[in-house]
Short mmCIF file of all heavy atoms in Angstrom, two decimals:
data_model
loop_
_atom_site.label_atom_id
_atom_site.label_comp_id
_atom_site.label_asym_id
_atom_site.label_seq_id
_atom_site.Cartn_x
_atom_site.Cartn_y
_atom_site.Cartn_z
N PRO A 21 -6.79 -18.34 9.71
CA PRO A 21 -7.17 -19.52 8.92
C PRO A 21 -5.98 -20.31 8.41
O PRO A 21 -6.01 -21.53 8.36
CB PRO A 21 -7.98 -18.90 7.77
CG PRO A 21 -8.42 -17.56 8.28
CD PRO A 21 -7.34 -17.10 9.20
N SER A 22 -4.92 -19.61 7.98
CA SER A 22 -3.80 -20.34 7.38
C SER A 22 -3.02 -21.15 8.40
O SER A 22 -2.36 -22.11 8.05
CB SER A 22 -2.87 -19.34 6.67
OG SER A 22 -2.36 -18.42 7.63
N ALA A 23 -3.07 -20.72 9.66
CA ALA A 23 -2.26 -21.41 10.66
C ALA A 23 -3.10 -22.27 11.59
O ALA A 23 -2.56 -23.01 12.39
CB ALA A 23 -1.48 -20.38 11.48
N ASN A 24 -4.42 -22.12 11.49
CA ASN A 24 -5.33 -22.90 12.34
C ASN A 24 -5.01 -22.72 13.81
O ASN A 24 -5.00 -23.66 14.59
CB ASN A 24 -5.28 -24.39 11.94
CG ASN A 24 -6.43 -25.16 12.57
OD1 ASN A 24 -7.49 -24.59 12.82
ND2 ASN A 24 -6.21 -26.44 12.81
N ARG A 25 -4.72 -21.46 14.19
CA ARG A 25 -4.50 -21.16 15.59
C ARG A 25 -5.03 -19.76 15.87
O ARG A 25 -5.60 -19.13 15.00
CB ARG A 25 -3.01 -21.27 15.95
CG ARG A 25 -2.09 -20.42 15.11
CD ARG A 25 -0.64 -20.81 15.32
NE ARG A 25 0.28 -20.08 14.47
CZ ARG A 25 0.90 -18.97 14.83
NH1 ARG A 25 0.68 -18.46 16.03
NH2 ARG A 25 1.72 -18.36 14.01
N TYR A 26 -4.85 -19.29 17.08
CA TYR A 26 -5.43 -18.02 17.48
C TYR A 26 -4.35 -17.06 17.94
O TYR A 26 -3.32 -17.45 18.47
CB TYR A 26 -6.45 -18.24 18.60
CG TYR A 26 -7.64 -19.04 18.16
CD1 TYR A 26 -7.62 -20.43 18.23
CD2 TYR A 26 -8.77 -18.40 17.66
CE1 TYR A 26 -8.71 -21.17 17.80
CE2 TYR A 26 -9.86 -19.14 17.23
CZ TYR A 26 -9.84 -20.51 17.30
OH TYR A 26 -10.91 -21.24 16.88
N LEU A 27 -4.63 -15.77 17.73
CA LEU A 27 -3.71 -14.73 18.14
C LEU A 27 -4.49 -13.66 18.86
O LEU A 27 -5.52 -13.20 18.38
CB LEU A 27 -3.00 -14.12 16.92
CG LEU A 27 -2.00 -13.01 17.22
CD1 LEU A 27 -0.81 -13.59 17.96
CD2 LEU A 27 -1.53 -12.35 15.92
N ALA A 28 -4.05 -13.26 20.02
CA ALA A 28 -4.76 -12.26 20.80
C ALA A 28 -4.42 -10.87 20.31
O ALA A 28 -3.35 -10.61 19.79
CB ALA A 28 -4.38 -12.39 22.28
N THR A 29 -5.39 -9.96 20.48
CA THR A 29 -5.14 -8.56 20.20
C THR A 29 -4.03 -8.04 21.10
O THR A 29 -4.01 -8.29 22.30
CB THR A 29 -6.42 -7.74 20.45
OG1 THR A 29 -7.44 -8.20 19.58
CG2 THR A 29 -6.18 -6.27 20.22
N LYS A 30 -3.12 -7.29 20.52
CA LYS A 30 -2.05 -6.69 21.32
C LYS A 30 -2.57 -5.40 21.97
O LYS A 30 -3.33 -4.66 21.38
CB LYS A 30 -0.85 -6.37 20.43
CG LYS A 30 -0.23 -7.59 19.79
CD LYS A 30 0.91 -7.17 18.86
CE LYS A 30 1.54 -8.36 18.16
NZ LYS A 30 2.63 -7.95 17.24
N ALA A 31 -2.12 -5.18 23.18
CA ALA A 31 -2.55 -3.98 23.90
C ALA A 31 -1.73 -2.79 23.45
O ALA A 31 -0.55 -2.91 23.10
CB ALA A 31 -2.39 -4.20 25.41
N TYR A 32 -2.35 -1.61 23.45
CA TYR A 32 -1.66 -0.39 23.07
C TYR A 32 -2.35 0.81 23.71
O TYR A 32 -3.52 0.73 24.13
CB TYR A 32 -1.61 -0.23 21.55
CG TYR A 32 -2.95 -0.36 20.85
CD1 TYR A 32 -3.78 0.75 20.68
CD2 TYR A 32 -3.39 -1.60 20.36
CE1 TYR A 32 -5.00 0.64 20.05
CE2 TYR A 32 -4.61 -1.71 19.72
CZ TYR A 32 -5.41 -0.60 19.56
OH TYR A 32 -6.61 -0.72 18.93
N ASP A 33 -1.64 1.91 23.76
CA ASP A 33 -2.20 3.14 24.31
C ASP A 33 -3.27 3.68 23.36
O ASP A 33 -3.25 3.40 22.16
CB ASP A 33 -1.11 4.21 24.46
CG ASP A 33 0.01 3.79 25.40
OD1 ASP A 33 -0.26 2.92 26.26
OD2 ASP A 33 1.13 4.31 25.25
N PRO A 34 -4.20 4.50 23.87
CA PRO A 34 -5.14 5.16 22.97
C PRO A 34 -4.37 5.91 21.88
O PRO A 34 -3.40 6.61 22.15
CB PRO A 34 -5.89 6.13 23.90
CG PRO A 34 -5.81 5.48 25.24
CD PRO A 34 -4.46 4.82 25.29
N LEU A 35 -4.80 5.74 20.65
CA LEU A 35 -4.04 6.25 19.51
C LEU A 35 -4.38 7.71 19.21
O LEU A 35 -5.55 8.09 19.13
CB LEU A 35 -4.32 5.40 18.28
CG LEU A 35 -3.90 3.93 18.38
CD1 LEU A 35 -4.31 3.17 17.12
CD2 LEU A 35 -2.39 3.81 18.61
N ARG A 36 -3.33 8.49 19.04
CA ARG A 36 -3.45 9.86 18.55
C ARG A 36 -2.83 9.85 17.15
O ARG A 36 -1.61 9.87 16.99
CB ARG A 36 -2.74 10.83 19.49
CG ARG A 36 -3.39 10.86 20.88
CD ARG A 36 -2.65 11.76 21.85
NE ARG A 36 -1.33 11.20 22.20
CZ ARG A 36 -1.12 10.30 23.14
NH1 ARG A 36 -2.13 9.82 23.85
NH2 ARG A 36 0.11 9.86 23.39
N ILE A 37 -3.70 9.78 16.15
CA ILE A 37 -3.30 9.48 14.78
C ILE A 37 -3.06 10.76 13.99
O ILE A 37 -3.86 11.70 14.05
CB ILE A 37 -4.36 8.62 14.08
CG1 ILE A 37 -4.45 7.24 14.75
CG2 ILE A 37 -4.06 8.46 12.60
CD1 ILE A 37 -5.55 6.36 14.21
N LEU A 38 -1.98 10.77 13.23
CA LEU A 38 -1.75 11.78 12.22
C LEU A 38 -2.01 11.10 10.88
O LEU A 38 -1.24 10.24 10.44
CB LEU A 38 -0.32 12.31 12.27
CG LEU A 38 -0.01 13.48 11.34
CD1 LEU A 38 -0.73 14.74 11.80
CD2 LEU A 38 1.49 13.73 11.26
N PHE A 39 -3.12 11.47 10.22
CA PHE A 39 -3.54 10.81 8.98
C PHE A 39 -3.14 11.68 7.80
O PHE A 39 -3.57 12.83 7.67
CB PHE A 39 -5.06 10.59 8.97
CG PHE A 39 -5.54 9.79 7.80
CD1 PHE A 39 -5.70 8.42 7.89
CD2 PHE A 39 -5.84 10.41 6.59
CE1 PHE A 39 -6.13 7.67 6.81
CE2 PHE A 39 -6.27 9.68 5.49
CZ PHE A 39 -6.42 8.30 5.61
N CYS A 40 -2.34 11.12 6.90
CA CYS A 40 -1.88 11.83 5.71
C CYS A 40 -2.56 11.23 4.48
O CYS A 40 -2.41 10.04 4.21
CB CYS A 40 -0.37 11.68 5.56
SG CYS A 40 0.57 12.11 7.05
N GLY A 41 -3.33 12.04 3.76
CA GLY A 41 -4.07 11.52 2.62
C GLY A 41 -4.34 12.57 1.57
O GLY A 41 -3.94 13.73 1.70
N SER A 42 -5.09 12.15 0.54
CA SER A 42 -5.36 13.09 -0.56
C SER A 42 -6.67 12.81 -1.29
O SER A 42 -7.50 13.69 -1.44
CB SER A 42 -4.20 13.05 -1.57
OG SER A 42 -4.09 11.76 -2.15
N ASP A 43 -6.87 11.55 -1.75
CA ASP A 43 -7.93 11.27 -2.72
C ASP A 43 -9.02 10.35 -2.16
O ASP A 43 -9.12 10.14 -0.95
CB ASP A 43 -7.31 10.67 -3.97
CG ASP A 43 -6.52 9.39 -3.65
OD1 ASP A 43 -6.65 8.87 -2.52
OD2 ASP A 43 -5.77 8.92 -4.53
N GLU A 44 -9.84 9.82 -3.09
CA GLU A 44 -10.97 8.99 -2.68
C GLU A 44 -10.52 7.73 -1.93
O GLU A 44 -11.21 7.27 -1.01
CB GLU A 44 -11.79 8.59 -3.92
CG GLU A 44 -12.52 9.73 -4.58
CD GLU A 44 -13.31 9.26 -5.79
OE1 GLU A 44 -14.14 8.34 -5.65
OE2 GLU A 44 -13.10 9.80 -6.88
N PHE A 45 -9.41 7.15 -2.35
CA PHE A 45 -8.94 5.95 -1.68
C PHE A 45 -8.60 6.25 -0.22
O PHE A 45 -8.94 5.48 0.68
CB PHE A 45 -7.71 5.39 -2.40
CG PHE A 45 -7.21 4.09 -1.85
CD1 PHE A 45 -7.95 2.93 -1.98
CD2 PHE A 45 -6.00 4.02 -1.17
CE1 PHE A 45 -7.50 1.72 -1.47
CE2 PHE A 45 -5.54 2.83 -0.65
CZ PHE A 45 -6.30 1.67 -0.80
N SER A 46 -7.95 7.36 0.03
CA SER A 46 -7.60 7.72 1.40
C SER A 46 -8.81 8.20 2.19
O SER A 46 -8.89 8.00 3.41
CB SER A 46 -6.50 8.78 1.41
OG SER A 46 -6.82 9.88 0.60
N ILE A 47 -9.78 8.82 1.51
CA ILE A 47 -10.99 9.28 2.20
C ILE A 47 -11.74 8.11 2.81
O ILE A 47 -12.26 8.20 3.94
CB ILE A 47 -11.89 10.06 1.22
CG1 ILE A 47 -11.27 11.42 0.90
CG2 ILE A 47 -13.30 10.25 1.80
CD1 ILE A 47 -11.99 12.20 -0.18
N ALA A 48 -11.81 6.99 2.09
CA ALA A 48 -12.50 5.81 2.63
C ALA A 48 -11.85 5.36 3.93
O ALA A 48 -12.54 5.01 4.91
CB ALA A 48 -12.49 4.69 1.61
N SER A 49 -10.52 5.35 3.98
CA SER A 49 -9.81 4.94 5.19
C SER A 49 -10.02 5.95 6.32
O SER A 49 -10.18 5.57 7.49
CB SER A 49 -8.32 4.78 4.90
OG SER A 49 -8.09 3.65 4.07
N LEU A 50 -10.01 7.23 5.99
CA LEU A 50 -10.21 8.26 7.00
C LEU A 50 -11.60 8.14 7.63
O LEU A 50 -11.75 8.22 8.86
CB LEU A 50 -10.03 9.65 6.39
CG LEU A 50 -10.28 10.82 7.34
CD1 LEU A 50 -9.29 10.81 8.50
CD2 LEU A 50 -10.21 12.15 6.58
N LYS A 51 -12.60 7.95 6.81
CA LYS A 51 -13.96 7.82 7.34
C LYS A 51 -14.10 6.58 8.22
O LYS A 51 -14.79 6.62 9.25
CB LYS A 51 -14.97 7.77 6.18
CG LYS A 51 -15.14 9.10 5.47
CD LYS A 51 -16.19 9.00 4.36
CE LYS A 51 -16.42 10.36 3.71
NZ LYS A 51 -17.43 10.27 2.61
N ALA A 52 -13.45 5.50 7.83
CA ALA A 52 -13.52 4.28 8.64
C ALA A 52 -12.82 4.48 9.98
O ALA A 52 -13.31 4.03 11.03
CB ALA A 52 -12.90 3.11 7.88
N LEU A 53 -11.69 5.15 9.98
CA LEU A 53 -10.99 5.44 11.23
C LEU A 53 -11.82 6.36 12.12
O LEU A 53 -11.87 6.19 13.34
CB LEU A 53 -9.63 6.09 10.94
CG LEU A 53 -8.50 5.21 10.43
CD1 LEU A 53 -7.25 6.04 10.21
CD2 LEU A 53 -8.21 4.06 11.39
N HIS A 54 -12.47 7.34 11.50
CA HIS A 54 -13.29 8.26 12.29
C HIS A 54 -14.46 7.53 12.93
O HIS A 54 -14.81 7.79 14.10
CB HIS A 54 -13.79 9.39 11.39
CG HIS A 54 -14.58 10.42 12.12
ND1 HIS A 54 -15.97 10.49 12.06
CD2 HIS A 54 -14.20 11.42 12.96
CE1 HIS A 54 -16.38 11.49 12.82
NE2 HIS A 54 -15.34 12.07 13.38
N ALA A 55 -15.08 6.60 12.19
CA ALA A 55 -16.17 5.81 12.76
C ALA A 55 -15.67 4.98 13.93
O ALA A 55 -16.36 4.85 14.97
CB ALA A 55 -16.78 4.91 11.68
N GLU A 56 -14.49 4.40 13.80
CA GLU A 56 -13.90 3.64 14.91
C GLU A 56 -13.59 4.54 16.09
O GLU A 56 -13.77 4.16 17.26
CB GLU A 56 -12.63 2.93 14.42
CG GLU A 56 -11.95 2.05 15.46
CD GLU A 56 -12.70 0.78 15.76
OE1 GLU A 56 -13.75 0.52 15.11
OE2 GLU A 56 -12.26 0.03 16.64
N HIS A 57 -13.13 5.75 15.80
CA HIS A 57 -12.86 6.74 16.86
C HIS A 57 -14.13 7.06 17.65
O HIS A 57 -14.10 7.14 18.89
CB HIS A 57 -12.29 8.00 16.23
CG HIS A 57 -12.41 9.23 17.07
ND1 HIS A 57 -11.78 9.37 18.30
CD2 HIS A 57 -13.09 10.40 16.87
CE1 HIS A 57 -12.07 10.55 18.81
NE2 HIS A 57 -12.87 11.19 17.97
N LEU A 58 -15.25 7.23 16.95
CA LEU A 58 -16.50 7.56 17.63
C LEU A 58 -17.01 6.40 18.47
O LEU A 58 -17.54 6.60 19.57
CB LEU A 58 -17.56 7.96 16.60
CG LEU A 58 -17.29 9.25 15.81
CD1 LEU A 58 -18.43 9.50 14.82
CD2 LEU A 58 -17.12 10.44 16.75
N SER A 59 -16.85 5.18 17.96
CA SER A 59 -17.37 4.02 18.69
C SER A 59 -16.40 3.51 19.76
O SER A 59 -16.83 2.96 20.77
CB SER A 59 -17.70 2.88 17.72
OG SER A 59 -16.53 2.42 17.07
N ARG A 60 -15.10 3.70 19.54
CA ARG A 60 -14.11 3.21 20.50
C ARG A 60 -13.03 4.28 20.74
O ARG A 60 -11.90 4.15 20.30
CB ARG A 60 -13.47 1.92 19.99
CG ARG A 60 -14.41 0.73 19.90
CD ARG A 60 -15.00 0.34 21.25
NE ARG A 60 -13.99 0.04 22.23
CZ ARG A 60 -13.53 -1.21 22.44
NH1 ARG A 60 -14.00 -2.22 21.75
NH2 ARG A 60 -12.62 -1.42 23.37
N PRO A 61 -13.39 5.36 21.45
CA PRO A 61 -12.38 6.38 21.74
C PRO A 61 -11.24 5.87 22.62
O PRO A 61 -10.20 6.51 22.71
CB PRO A 61 -13.18 7.48 22.44
CG PRO A 61 -14.41 6.79 22.96
CD PRO A 61 -14.70 5.70 21.98
N ASP A 62 -11.46 4.71 23.25
CA ASP A 62 -10.37 4.12 24.03
C ASP A 62 -9.31 3.53 23.11
O ASP A 62 -8.16 3.35 23.52
CB ASP A 62 -10.91 3.03 24.97
CG ASP A 62 -11.69 1.96 24.25
OD1 ASP A 62 -12.32 2.27 23.22
OD2 ASP A 62 -11.66 0.79 24.70
N ARG A 63 -9.67 3.25 21.86
CA ARG A 63 -8.70 2.77 20.88
C ARG A 63 -8.11 3.93 20.10
O ARG A 63 -6.90 4.03 19.94
CB ARG A 63 -9.37 1.80 19.89
CG ARG A 63 -9.60 0.41 20.45
CD ARG A 63 -10.06 -0.51 19.33
NE ARG A 63 -10.30 -1.86 19.82
CZ ARG A 63 -11.32 -2.62 19.46
NH1 ARG A 63 -12.22 -2.15 18.61
NH2 ARG A 63 -11.45 -3.83 19.93
#
Side-chain angles (χ1 to χ4, degrees):
S22 61
N24 193 29
R25 55 192 176 94
Y26 294 88
L27 180 68
T29 299
K30 298 177 182 179
Y32 52 88
D33 300 336
L35 297 176
R36 296 177 291 276
I37 295 175
L38 186 70
F39 186 94
C40 309
S42 62
D43 57 13
E44 292 180 55
F45 185 68
S46 52
I47 288 173
S49 290
L50 177 63
K51 289 182 176 180
L53 285 180
H54 183 257
E56 182 72 3
H57 160 64
L58 295 179
S59 64
R60 294 299 302 268
D62 55 329
R63 283 188 180 139

